[in-house]
Amino acid sequence: MGENTPMDEFCGSTFWDANQTWWTTDPDFTPCFEQTVLVWTPCAFLWLFILIDFWYLKASLDRNIPWNKLSIGKVLFNVGLIVITALDLIMAFVKKGESNIPIYAVDIWTPIIKLATFAILLIFIPLNRKYGVQTSGCQFLFWLLMVIFSIPRCRTEARMHQERRDIINSQEATPHDFSWETYQFCSFFIFFTFTVFMLIFNCFADQLPRQTKYKRGPKEIPELSASFLSRITYSWFDKMALKGYRNPLEEKDLWDLRPQDSCKEVMPTFAYYWNKNVRKNYRRMAVGQETKAQFSNGKVSFENPQKNGKKKGMASIMPPIYKSFGGIFLFGSFFKLITDILTFAQPQVLSLIIGYVEDYQKAPQPEWKGIMYSILLFVLASAQTFILAQYFHRMFIVGLRIRTALINCIYRKALRISNAARKSSTVGEIVNLMAVDAQRFMDLTTYLNMLWSAPLQIALALYFLWQQLGPSVLAGLAVMIIMIPLNGFIASRIKTYQIRQMKYKDERVKLMNEVLSGIKVLKLYAWEPSFEKQVLDIRDKEIATLRATAYLNASTSFLWSCAPFLVSLVTFATYVLSNEANQLSVSKVFVSLSLFDIMKLPLSVMPMLMVDIAETQVSVQRINKFLNSEELDPDNVQHDSSKPHPMSIENGHFSWGDEDEMTLKNINMEVRKHNLVAIVGTVGSGKSSVIQAFLGEMEKISGTVNTVGKMAYVPQQAWIQNATVRDNILFGKSYDRKRYNQVIDACALRTDIEILSAGDRTEIGEKGINLSGGQKQRISLARAVYSNADIYLLDDPLSAVDAHVGKHIFEEVIGPKGMLAKKTRILVTHGITFLPQADNIYVMKLGEISESGTYSELLRNRGAFADFLMQHLQEGEAEEEEIDQIKRQLSQTDPALVAPFEKAILLARTESLSDSISVTSADSLMGGSLRRRKMRQNSYDSAASAASLKKKQENEGKLIETEKSQTGGVDFSVYKHYIKSVGIFLSVATLVLNFVFQAFQIGSNLWLTQWSNDKEVEHDTGKRNMYLGVYGAFGFGQGFASFLSDLGIQLGCLHAAQVLHSLMLYRMLRVPMWFNDTTPVGRIMSRFSKDIETVDQKIVEVLTDCIWCAFEVLATIVVISISTPIFLAVIVPIAFVYYFAQRFYVATSRQLMRLESVSRSPIYSHFGETVTGVSTIRAYAVEERFIEESDEKVDKNQVCKYPSLIANRWLAVRLEMVGNLIILFASLFAVLGGQTNPGLVGLSVSYALQVTQTLNWLVRMSSDIETNIVSVERIKEYGETKQEAPWVLESDKQRPKNWPEGGRVEFKDFQVRYREGLDLVLRGVTFNISGGEKVGIVGRTGAGKSSLTLALFRIIESAGGKIMIDGIDIATMGLHMLRSRLTIIPQDPVLFSGSLRSNLDPFEIKTDDEIWKALELSHLKTFAKSLAAGLNHEISEGGENLSVGQRQLVCLARALLRKTKVLVLDEATAAVDLETDDLIQKTIRSEFKECTVLTIAHRLNTILDSDKVIVLDKGQITEFASPNELLSNPNSAFYSMAKDANLV
């Protein structure tokens, strides 16, 4: 052996003997090696990684695990091991001393090292118990290594024991003292047994901890208490996979969220770092303000970037993200590093296997080496599998947490953003930040590590290639480097297209959102074709960009498939041509090929990663812009309780965020305690703005605003949540029955609630879609009254309700005797009736207060107010005693005014009658007295009926049908539908081309094998060049096949996307109205955004990948079977395992994905709702509650999301193990099967090495196809919805061009219901209106007035009877023929974003003159002229930049442009002040003289000059005659109204 090494002396025997261990057919280690290296290695491992365990102890949220058999067992065996090791140490001295054997260092040091290691493990047992850590990976791996590394020694000890017995039993029995050896033999086997037991114990986790930071429910996620083994194999997920396979998973089957992923844990950390970052980026004006504590009772506060002084730069979300989530991310990156290194071990082993086969004929190596190589390959692959799974798992967790943090951050910001900043982006765009941009991060985290991993892999690959092929590698490298800018160029082009496509998508989605929100108006005006065309125009642009992208993608794919090939071609060519002596050997070829393969992934990922990072960069900028946008200044309003009055503004100047445009000037206003202050003025004079100024919603330019006390706010346009009526009124307060009933009666909601199907448990649709304007307003008022605040800001709450209801509400709620009498209140109003009862009145004019004072003071001034009053009195609205009172006041103050005043009154008397119906008469009209109602109410409250009622109510009250998430497999019909949309030709072509591509690939590899095995090439350059040429030809064939197949499928899928979108759009514009009432806009929108996006982009990628993977796997099986036919025997069981894993996974994963997508939309719709109602939320100061609701929804979404990520890992581990088995068998059979052709062996093993990833991808992709095809299913479902009647019928062409000429309308026993299964709303209505008659329709809310008009336009179809116009049954016409020939001025003025012109005339058929004429008649001309852009003035979403009154006038202008024979006026005068109202009335009287006009009236004065009056009650006509006739009949309901008004 020669020189003694230090290790030999350490042991006193040989440490390493190559002849004994390697160059032999019976390998073994030396005892010294076994007692040193094989013992020290596990110990070193433990000492190295024990820090991780300490970190887990620190991070644990739990405490105190109870003792149980397992932990006691661990302690006992651990103590046992310590005892044995200590004995070893003692015995070494004792025994060796006795027998005079020299004591070597190994006898002392090895036991000491073991003792120290077991001691620290013993300490960890109680530590883990105390800190609630249930399992430790480091310890498990230590025991595993200990057992594995002890196995060689078992064999050695057993052999030596046998030898000793042979010696003792042999004849020449010289007495031997074997006592030390025998002791070692016994002690080692006891030690080994104990180690095995410790390994078994460590396979299980300890019991649940007793104390936990968060309550642990019965549905706790098993992962928290799973053992390390179960965690790395994901076997804790088996239950869910099995459950999901047996029957579709539902929400109740899911586990709770892991506490560390919930908002409560993620947010504080993120907020902490965000605030630090904000402070860094915005220098403080004042130095003294240091940061406040982060937690105010567990709530998370984000600092406002704007208020912290001068701006240094935008505060970015990136640093807080690194700091909050960097730890786990780095831990994951460490795993990635290990797998990268393991990847490169595989080609090395491959070259060993090829070497083994090459030697097989000359000098065969011992068989155990071949087997060892195969097993080594398998072990490497398996280690990689487990580590990679952990890596992805960590990355997904980081992704999820970042998404949680961003969504919540955006939500909290949206509650505080200023109005100016909010106007700069629409609701849809803000929601997109959450839906798209936050999601981007999640998708990116998984690949982010490629930034360092890809260059590392490329560098390592080059290093190993250099060893194989020398400098020729540089030629290949050059090709790669040339490829990168090419790829980069294409990627940047793709990116520009993507940005363009995103822009079109945003436009399209925004337009769709408006179309769906205003669908009722579109139907009434028959404007759908115009908007359909607009949407399709944008869609065409979008498809064009996508098509351009498709060509680019295909060229990327061409480069992608050519690159690795070109690289190997150039390298091999350079190698053989550069030097005659350079010959390709089999091991060179295949090791190089598998190294090139390893380089393929990082090279292809790099450009994609760059694109992704660039996209995420865009997202980061968008989110940063939003998070840095201006917030409402909390100092806009002070809360100084020392001021004398609860509310005051001094010298206030305000604007809506545009510095130059002052909306309010010189405002001085004070409101005393318990006073009622009214603000009056014409439309657009700034009344609502004053209220917004008190709320702090306006930018204060100068002056002070002060409010003291809790606020309640009733906006002009009620903001109603998608919840039950009761929840809308309670608004987060607790339910107090007595107060609640009081509020409902005061706000006149009792009858409305009784009419609703499930009482106050009825669910209200989005934006209050199933309520009338008046009901919404009253609910909004009830919410304010119930909230019991100190200060009430009422922005025209009485405009949308009928006059008598208005009076009732004023008396019961707002007035001096109402529920709010003891509160401080500001009322913006158009009604004059209530002004005498106000303590103070402010008159607004052009954004200034023109005068203020009490009622009598203002009358005295004879200023703007007196004119306002005169104007009003001529409408004939005032009651008798009011008039007397005004007269009295006038005679005292200014007798000169009395004469014109009396004249005005006389005029009003002759013209009209009043409709201030008192509440009682309204009741008698409804056919029931108050007393009866009270009795009924009391019986309602009795407990017995309440319970049964509640159940019934809850079922009936669901208006919004819950979104169905389909269960089970996706129907084959969906695939068929999709393939049809793609086109049969393209579908088949793609498959054929893929086949050709694989054929070329296998061909080129077999050709290489042939070449490297051919020994003649060395002497024959001609032959060599022939080999090279054919190899090149194969490669280019591959590239073109790949290009064409990619292009084919991309264009096919685009075609499908276009077909699907057009069909869905076509259908959605033609669904009956009830569909839109029962389906939230958000749900239809998600079809148009998310699902269409999936069809546009996702499905294409997934399909391409899936087809590619399937062919790749087939190719692998073919290649391995060519080289080792026996492999086919194993393929069947492996395929079985594979199939089952796939079925289990797909069933579970698909359902989880569906649940996840269903739980995702509430996050966004809740967010959208919040953004629209943000001023109300801020006024009531309930931001915290909304934040909690949002957090809850995010958590609920995570509950569905997390298992679906785990399902991916679960599957990956199982499938990759299947792939690893393929590697094992391919290499084993190659080694054992006596295969003599090393080329084929190299080929089959290198194919096997690739197959794991491919298999994994294949299942992933096939299930992704299933999950993504769900989008097609959902689009198809909406593409098959029930349609309303056809728009155009052939028979329409025979109808007269200018029908209806006469305008005669008759109803014959007409019945109608809103949708099947509901009660009739009109029950047999019969009346006849001759052409040109003016008819007024009156009746209480819910009597069926609006239904009458809807039926006339066939928005709701008849359930019996018919409507004739000019003798033609309207049911026989096309809807557009009908609707375009009738005109309506609808209740809610709906405008669309676009120019003023497109809002008046979307089809662009009218001339400018006609439009200006209409604007003049509708009194908008001066306004339109004042706009810079005139008719092209951009109107914002929903007409936000016009006042409500102006919007109403725009609707009037629309009607004037149409000018048809029949006009319907629906509550058109509700939101308009009296002057405007008067203008509208005059215009209608003059312009529509010849027409039949049906007016749904709330103020009787608008219909008293009509020819007939229809009184509706509960869907039936109670009276139909001229007003005079009805007034002359003392028994008529109409008369009783007039009587109550002291007019008869």
Side-chain angles (χ1 to χ4, degrees), residues 1039-1081:
F1040 283 113
S1042 140
F1043 176 73
L1044 291 172
S1045 70
D1046 214 50
L1047 189 60
I1049 192 160
Q1050 297 231 9
L1051 294 177
C1053 292
L1054 266 185
H1055 181 249
Q1058 207 170 358
V1059 171
L1060 290 169
H1061 175 266
S1062 309
L1063 179 72
M1064 177 164 72
L1065 177 66
Y1066 180 86
R1067 289 299 175 107
M1068 286 329 288
L1069 289 176
R1070 291 166 177 73
V1071 288
M1073 201 55 220
W1074 60 261
F1075 179 86
N1076 294 85
D1077 288 344
T1078 53
T1079 315
V1081 173

Side-chain angles (χ1 to χ4, degrees), residues 509-739:
V509 168
K510 186 177 149 194
L511 184 61
M512 268 321 295
N513 193 8
E514 290 197 52
V515 166
L516 292 170
S517 309
I519 187 83
K520 186 169 174 182
V521 174
L522 291 186
K523 285 190 187 307
L524 290 170
Y525 289 137
W527 276 0
E528 300 103 326
S530 156
F531 282 84
E532 184 172 22
K533 184 175 167 302
Q534 283 180 42
V535 175
L536 287 176
D537 286 349
I538 301 178
R539 178 71 178 159
D540 286 341
K541 288 188 213 157
E542 198 181 353
I543 291 282
T545 15
L546 285 168
R547 187 169 289 122
T549 320
Y551 280 101
L552 288 172
N553 276 336
S555 37
T556 316
S557 145
F558 172 68
L559 288 176
W560 208 81
S561 56
C562 270
F565 175 78
L566 264 178
V567 172
S568 52
L569 174 69
V570 171
T571 312
F572 289 151
T574 317
Y575 182 68
V576 292
L577 298 174
S578 61
N579 189 339
E580 293 291 311
N582 285 351
Q583 288 307 325
L584 286 181
S585 70
V586 177
S587 86
K588 275 202 175 114
V589 168
F590 285 105
V591 174
S592 306
L593 275 183
S594 69
L595 284 166
F596 281 134
D597 248 0
I598 291 176
M599 278 166 89
K600 189 159 111 184
L601 181 73
L603 271 175
S604 63
V605 166
M606 278 301 272
M608 279 156 46
L609 183 69
M610 290 306 168
V611 172
D612 271 351
I613 285 182
E615 280 186 4
T616 310
Q617 208 50 49
V618 173
S619 291
V620 169
Q621 283 159 5
R622 285 171 55 161
I623 293 177
N624 283 344
K625 183 180 160 218
F626 181 72
L627 291 180
N628 281 281
S629 57
E630 215 181 326
E631 295 189 3
L632 274 190
D633 185 356
D635 308 335
N636 275 344
V637 179
Q638 272 117 28
H639 303 293
D640 176 3
S641 48
S642 61
K643 294 248 173 121
H645 305 304
M647 300 171 79
S648 59
I649 300 182
E650 295 163 28
N651 304 325
H653 291 73
F654 302 92
S655 80
W656 283 113
D658 317 318
E659 289 298 318
D660 47 338
E661 262 187 54
M662 212 93 93
T663 317
L664 296 177
K665 300 183 280 291
N666 312 325
I667 301 292
N668 282 295
M669 189 177 270
E670 55 184 38
V671 184
R672 294 156 192 267
K673 211 177 167 95
H674 306 334
N675 269 10
L676 166 62
V677 168
I679 302 180
V680 294
T682 55
V683 168
S685 61
K687 300 185 298 289
S688 300
S689 299
V690 174
I691 287 211
Q692 298 295 339
F694 272 120
L695 287 173
E697 297 278 324
M698 289 189 80
E699 284 299 310
K700 182 176 69 178
I701 295 170
S702 63
T704 54
V705 182
N706 194 53
T707 66
V708 184
K710 266 177 53 193
M711 289 221 176
Y713 165 57
V714 180
Q716 189 170 9
Q717 279 191 305
W719 173 69
I720 301 289
Q721 273 185 288
N722 182 357
T724 62
V725 177
R726 177 179 294 185
D727 291 341
N728 263 299
I729 295 175
L730 299 182
F731 206 52
K733 293 252 186 300
S734 55
Y735 176 63
D736 163 0
R737 198 181 83 202
K738 195 167 152 220
R739 178 170 176 79

Side-chain angles (χ1 to χ4, degrees), residues 468-514:
Q468 295 287 340
L469 304 172
S472 326
V473 174
L474 295 176
L477 183 64
V479 175
M480 286 186 178
I481 291 173
I482 293 168
M483 285 300 192
I484 289 178
L486 248 175
N487 264 333
F489 169 71
I490 294 181
S492 73
R493 294 293 312 158
I494 289 179
K495 182 165 178 313
T496 38
Y497 281 127
Q498 249 169 348
I499 289 177
R500 195 178 304 171
Q501 188 252 335
M502 283 283 284
K503 195 186 89 197
Y504 290 140
K505 181 184 152 213
D506 279 352
E507 272 180 42
R508 175 173 59 81
V509 168
K510 186 177 149 194
L511 184 61
M512 268 321 295
N513 193 8
E514 290 197 52

Side-chain angles (χ1 to χ4, degrees), residues 358 361-362 583-586 1009-1020 1023 1027 1237-1239:
E358 276 180 327
Q361 286 145 312
K362 291 171 267 176
Q583 288 307 325
L584 286 181
S585 70
V586 177
T1009 316
Q1010 182 62 35
W1011 178 2
S1012 56
N1013 281 340
D1014 193 336
K1015 294 289 171 269
E1016 291 171 31
V1017 180
E1018 292 174 30
H1019 321 296
D1020 184 353
K1023 200 162 191 186
Y1027 273 121
N1237 178 346

Side-chain angles (χ1 to χ4, degrees), residues 313-371:
M314 279 225 195
S316 171
I317 49 176
M318 289 320 290
I321 286 178
Y322 302 140
K323 289 177 186 150
S324 314
F325 312 112
I328 308 182
F329 188 78
L330 287 174
F331 189 43
S333 309
F334 171 67
F335 288 147
K336 179 82 174 122
L337 184 65
I338 300 175
T339 45
D340 283 355
I341 294 165
L342 287 178
T343 312
F344 286 98
Q346 293 179 349
Q348 306 310 312
V349 182
L350 175 65
S351 73
L352 293 174
I353 291 180
I354 293 175
Y356 175 87
V357 175
E358 276 180 327
D359 293 349
Y360 198 78
Q361 286 145 312
K362 291 171 267 176
Q365 299 178 18
E367 196 167 60
W368 66 267
K369 289 192 182 176
I371 296 174

Side-chain angles (χ1 to χ4, degrees), residues 1-16 104:
M1 180 77 201
E3 279 300 299
N4 265 1
T5 61
M7 283 306 287
D8 293 349
E9 288 163 21
F10 186 82
C11 287
S13 63
T14 330
F15 173 67
W16 178 254
Y104 294 108

Side-chain angles (χ1 to χ4, degrees), residues 120-137:
I120 193 155
L121 284 167
L122 186 61
I123 294 169
F124 257 96
I125 295 174
L127 272 181
N128 280 348
R129 264 196 61 248
K130 184 180 171 199
Y131 288 99
V133 176
Q134 291 172 279
T135 180
S136 154

